[in-house]
Amino acid sequence: MDFRVRSSLSLAIFFKNIKMRIMDVLSLIKCNSKVSLCGLEGSALAYMLARIGQELNQPLFIVIPSLDDAQKIAEALKFFLSPLEPLPLNEKVFLLPEEPSLPYTGVSPRPEVLGKQFKALFGLLNINSPVVVTTPKMLISYFIPVSNFNQKIQIYQKGEEIPREEFIQFLQFLGYERLNLVEGVGEFSVRGEIIDIFCPLYKWPLRLEFFGDTLESVRLFNPITQRSERHLNNFILIPANPIPHQEAAFKQAKKRIEALNLTKEIAQKICSFLEIPIHQPGIEDYFPLFYEKTETLFDYLPEKTIFCLVQPGQLEKTAHFFEKKVRSHLKELIEEKRIHLPFKYTIFPWRKIKNRLNNHKQILCYALPFLKTDVPIAQFKAKIPFAHLSFSQKQSHFKPQIEKWQKMGYSISLVASHPWAQQRLAALFETWHYIVQTKTPPFQHEPGISIYRGILSEGFILPEARLVILGERDWQIRTEPLVELPKKKELLPVSSFEDLKPGNLLVHVQHGIGCYQGLKTVTSGGITGEFLVIEYQDKDKLYLPIDRLHLVQKYKGIGDKLP
């Protein structure tokens, strides 16, 4: 029976059955210190953990053996729990990533990785019931003390009086690097009355405009095009690097070397390394010298945090393997008389982790559907959509399978990463005479067919929840859709700027649809060139060099619809 003609009583029964299944799982978690979830992996596991976190309204700390899998789970969790491009206080899901390098190799973490780590720590301390995804390596790592981290979090309001010189010193205290132009996370620049900052909490850099010491304007901007992306009334700053860009901090760090019980030769080499107060490659490994103490992730966790351990046996193997590598590496450094800190300042051993885990409820997650274990089990039978079918087979099976799922009473959702794909999929289903809803995350489990604009690479079928979600890999291969989408007016190529007239709508491959305003001659750095001027929402303008004409096409919508 089609959902469009189901009675309200049928829908009530449908959701009651799903709710009962979820409540069974929640009851197990509430009544036991450990629970096993079996038969779930990937996006299906992310969906179930998201539902558990929502229903219990408790923080989840998810540990996954590999970084690749952690990134996929975090991506899926964001689809289920977070809005698109949320502001810092609206985020729910945080990835706490690792770097593959060993400590004391003279290699610094990439700024974007450090930024995500600090963003996750901010989430643990400031977001209600956050969901953090990480790996064993980060669980056995040390971090700056919670008290120091909290001291480095500041909120500023538009219109506030901010002494500029003190503000610049504070940015250096937070570990931001001063450059002429901001391009990456952890950088800032000062140009007259304007200060640009790339804070890890935001997708885009902040642009602060001052009048004297008064903060007149706050906005996010694209560092490539310099276009405004969003105007703000306030902003939050968090650390970008554990090492302050301040001479006094380096002097204090040198004084702490004496307490480490190092050989005289190694201590002198570390003092020499810290002699010049600059961020040398690999200096982040020595952050314990810059603080009175170090702390672990357990010190950052909110109360009632539930640990979700994915493939627990593999987690332990991964942690022990990394510990062994670090011990062996430190032994080599000692023999070669190269600078390093002792093991106790480098790794929080897994045996201690296991003791700390006993203070928290644990959800043990396994991909296999059948498993003998001493703890209560919640069994599921998640499946991959269109598994083991070729591309041509998937094309022929797509519409019949949608019909089959509908008759079985499944809720069906498809996910497209781009608005165009979302619109075209909606148009396709309309030609099949289906009623569809177009939505954006966070995901809502509702009857019928929904088409989301979001990021979810792989979907799943979860019979226990009567739910089907198709990610882009499920309905699309490379750039070819699994289904023949309805024809729309083609994008018209622009062979030369002479083809264009002011007022034409253009589609830029990266920045989307804008209105062509004409040609303009611009001189910059002693070089003169001609640019296409494309105007976007809020009067923002993109200046496109005419030698990049291939990046734009004339816009034509579906039917007579305007964008």
Side-chain angles (χ1 to χ4, degrees), residues 96-144:
L96 181 58
E98 64 176 57
E99 283 281 34
S101 59
L102 287 168
Y104 316 120
T105 55
V107 178
S108 286
R110 289 167 292 171
E112 59 269 25
V113 172
L114 275 176
K116 289 178 181 177
Q117 291 175 359
F118 282 120
K119 184 177 180 179
L121 298 182
F122 171 85
L124 286 171
L125 295 175
N126 294 278
I127 302 300
N128 180 41
S129 300
V131 178
V132 174
V133 184
T134 193
T135 60
K137 181 179 177 180
M138 298 312 297
L139 192 57
I140 62 178
S141 297
Y142 286 108
F143 296 86
I144 68 175

Side-chain angles (χ1 to χ4, degrees), residues 228-391:
S228 296
E229 296 292 336
R230 191 167 188 170
H231 290 268
L232 305 175
N233 290 321
N234 55 57
F235 68 96
I236 304 171
L237 281 183
I238 65 170
N241 193 295
I243 311 297
H245 280 269
Q246 291 183 324
E247 186 175 352
F250 278 75
K251 289 181 178 179
Q252 191 64 39
K254 288 167 64 178
K255 292 180 181 179
R256 295 193 178 101
I257 294 174
E258 299 176 3
L260 298 186
N261 196 26
L262 298 169
T263 64
K264 185 177 181 180
E265 185 177 1
I266 294 297
Q268 288 177 343
K269 286 183 177 181
I270 295 177
C271 280
S272 299
F273 181 66
L274 300 176
E275 189 65 37
I276 303 175
I278 60 173
H279 278 207
Q280 301 182 59
I283 194 170
E284 289 80 7
D285 292 328
Y286 300 89
F287 85 88
L289 298 174
F290 289 79
Y291 300 91
E292 291 291 341
K293 61 177 180 177
T294 56
E295 292 184 332
T296 70
L297 285 172
F298 288 92
D299 299 298
Y300 279 83
L301 297 180
E303 291 184 5
K304 298 183 179 180
T305 295
I306 299 174
F307 268 82
C308 306
L309 306 178
V310 180
Q311 307 296 341
Q314 187 60 41
L315 288 179
E316 187 161 351
K317 288 180 181 178
T318 302
H320 283 312
F321 178 73
F322 184 70
E323 277 189 46
K324 186 177 179 181
K325 282 184 69 175
V326 171
R327 289 184 186 276
S328 177
H329 178 58
L330 289 177
K331 185 178 179 181
E332 291 176 3
L333 294 177
I334 292 170
E335 291 173 354
E336 297 171 6
K337 297 182 179 180
R338 291 161 57 191
I339 62 172
H340 64 277
L341 298 183
F343 182 83
K344 68 177 183 178
Y345 294 98
T346 307
I347 293 293
F348 186 60
W350 185 258
R351 57 181 174 80
K352 293 185 178 181
I353 295 284
K354 293 180 72 173
N355 292 334
R356 299 289 289 271
L357 284 173
N358 291 330
N359 298 325
H360 296 267
K361 283 188 177 292
Q362 299 174 40
I363 300 175
L364 311 179
C365 306
Y366 301 92
L368 296 176
F370 301 104
L371 186 74
K372 290 183 179 180
T373 176
D374 296 330
V375 301
I377 300 175
Q379 291 275 14
F380 294 90
K381 296 180 180 179
K383 303 174 184 177
I384 300 173
F386 306 114
H388 311 303
L389 293 181
S390 66
F391 175 61

